[in-house]
Amino acid sequence: MVDSLSSSLRRVVVLGTGGTIAGRAASGGDNIGYTAGQVGVADLLGGIDAPEGLVLVTEQVAQLDSKDMDFGVWVQLARRCAFWLAEADVAGVVITHGTDTLEETAFFLQAVLAPDKPVVLTCAMRPATSLSPDGPQNVRDAIAVAATSSAQGVTVVCAGVIHSAMDVQKVHTYRQDAFASGDAGPVGYVEEGAVRRLRDWPRSQAGGNSRILEADEKAIALWPRVEILTSHAGASGALVDLLLQERAAGCADPMRGLVLAATGNGTVHHALEAAALRAQDAGVAVLRATRCTSGRILPRPDDKLRNAGALTPVKARIALMLELIGKAG
Ligand code: SIN
């Protein structure tokens, strides 16, 4: 399938949030010793011409190293996406983002917005000051996807590959082609500005999750605390018990959810599992997600703890957080 640009589309909005793509190093040869989130999004578009018939609009939503991403920025980003997507002449939104938590932001936006227009996150593994930065080509490719008439949902574009927000994971610490989509495989590729699609775009759902978009600052600050603990050789239940003690002592922000980064098909060290069952009995929502980078947890009849299917632990955490917000009101 080769998807064509729509003749009626007019604006693609590029929202900046920081990351290596906006990073600055002291020398062009340094691809790791840089500071992320330094160059403004308007400057990132400096050498990039808008494809014919399109106008590019930029907006700086945040300027951070994505390891420091938080709920407040996510909500702000979701709101700005919703605002721009509601404009009739906006074809789609591109978000420049750090690679480190990009898959979490993408999953969050898909879960909250499920937009019927494209929201395309892109990034870079080399800073803007690099002798050979990868950011400009990634941005060009992301704009091509955002301007594609049939595109919808939240995707990630990196190194010419289009990934669904549901499946994408960062899999490499250094290579420019740093993302993969596991068993699902990529949605498609961008080749010289043309989108070659292999499978369906992420689903869209009218209205998305308006509750998140409407939350006030106080509600955002009180978003449910969901922790992730890893099952591994020699694991114990000690941290779960500490978190339960803190909860019982009436702390201001108690653990409300717990994701277990489980081994293989969702198995958990017996000591950690016993503690997780104690947590579940005490009212904590517990979810098992596999540590494996591919595959899904296949349920077994004797399972006592719910599983997150194909979601990675970090995505399972977001899903559980949104579930708890949904139940709160
Ligand atoms: C970040 O995630 O903001 C820094 C790392 C990167 O973008 O590759």
Side-chain angles (χ1 to χ4, degrees), residues 183-201:
D183 285 351
V187 171
Y189 300 100
V190 188
E191 295 160 342
E192 294 298 300
V195 170
R196 178 163 61 90
R197 190 156 55 90
L198 305 177
R199 64 182 179 93
D200 287 348
W201 297 105

Side-chain angles (χ1 to χ4, degrees), residues 18-21 34 36 64-67 97-101 124-125 170:
T20 294
I21 190 167
Y34 57 85
L64 46 75
D65 185 320
S66 80
K67 71 179 175 57
H97 197 288
T99 61
D100 285 343
T101 58
M125 291 297 284
K170 186 172 179 181

Side-chain angles (χ1 to χ4, degrees), residues 108-268:
F108 174 82
L109 291 175
Q110 174 64 22
V112 169
L113 298 172
D116 59 5
K117 290 179 183 176
V119 171
V120 190
L121 286 91
T122 194
C123 56
M125 291 297 284
R126 294 179 176 173
T129 49
S130 172
L131 287 175
S132 174
D134 50 333
Q137 184 63 50
N138 285 344
V139 171
R140 284 193 72 201
D141 290 348
I143 291 168
V145 175
T148 296
S149 55
S150 66
Q152 65 172 39
V154 181
T155 52
V156 168
V157 169
C158 181
V161 186
I162 310 167
H163 303 274
S164 162
M166 301 305 292
D167 306 306
V168 68
Q169 286 182 68
K170 186 172 179 181
V171 295
H172 205 279
T173 57
Y174 185 72
R175 246 177 16 212
Q176 290 168 66
D177 188 5
F179 290 86
S181 288
D183 285 351
V187 171
Y189 300 100
V190 188
E191 295 160 342
E192 294 298 300
V195 170
R196 178 163 61 90
R197 190 156 55 90
L198 305 177
R199 64 182 179 93
D200 287 348
W201 297 105
R203 76 180 169 85
S204 80
Q205 187 186 314
N209 187 339
S210 54
R211 190 188 179 119
I212 303 291
L213 300 180
E214 285 154 15
D216 62 19
E217 301 319 306
K218 210 168 134 212
I220 292 166
L222 291 176
W223 271 14
R225 176 172 164 201
V226 177
E227 298 286 353
I228 302 176
L229 292 175
T230 302
S231 186
H232 51 80
S236 81
L239 287 174
V240 178
D241 289 332
L242 280 173
L243 289 162
L244 288 178
Q245 279 167 27
E246 192 190 61
R247 201 177 134 92
C251 85
D253 186 18
M255 169 175 67
R256 303 222 2 241
L258 172 63
V259 171
L260 299 172
T263 38
N265 187 35
T267 53
V268 178

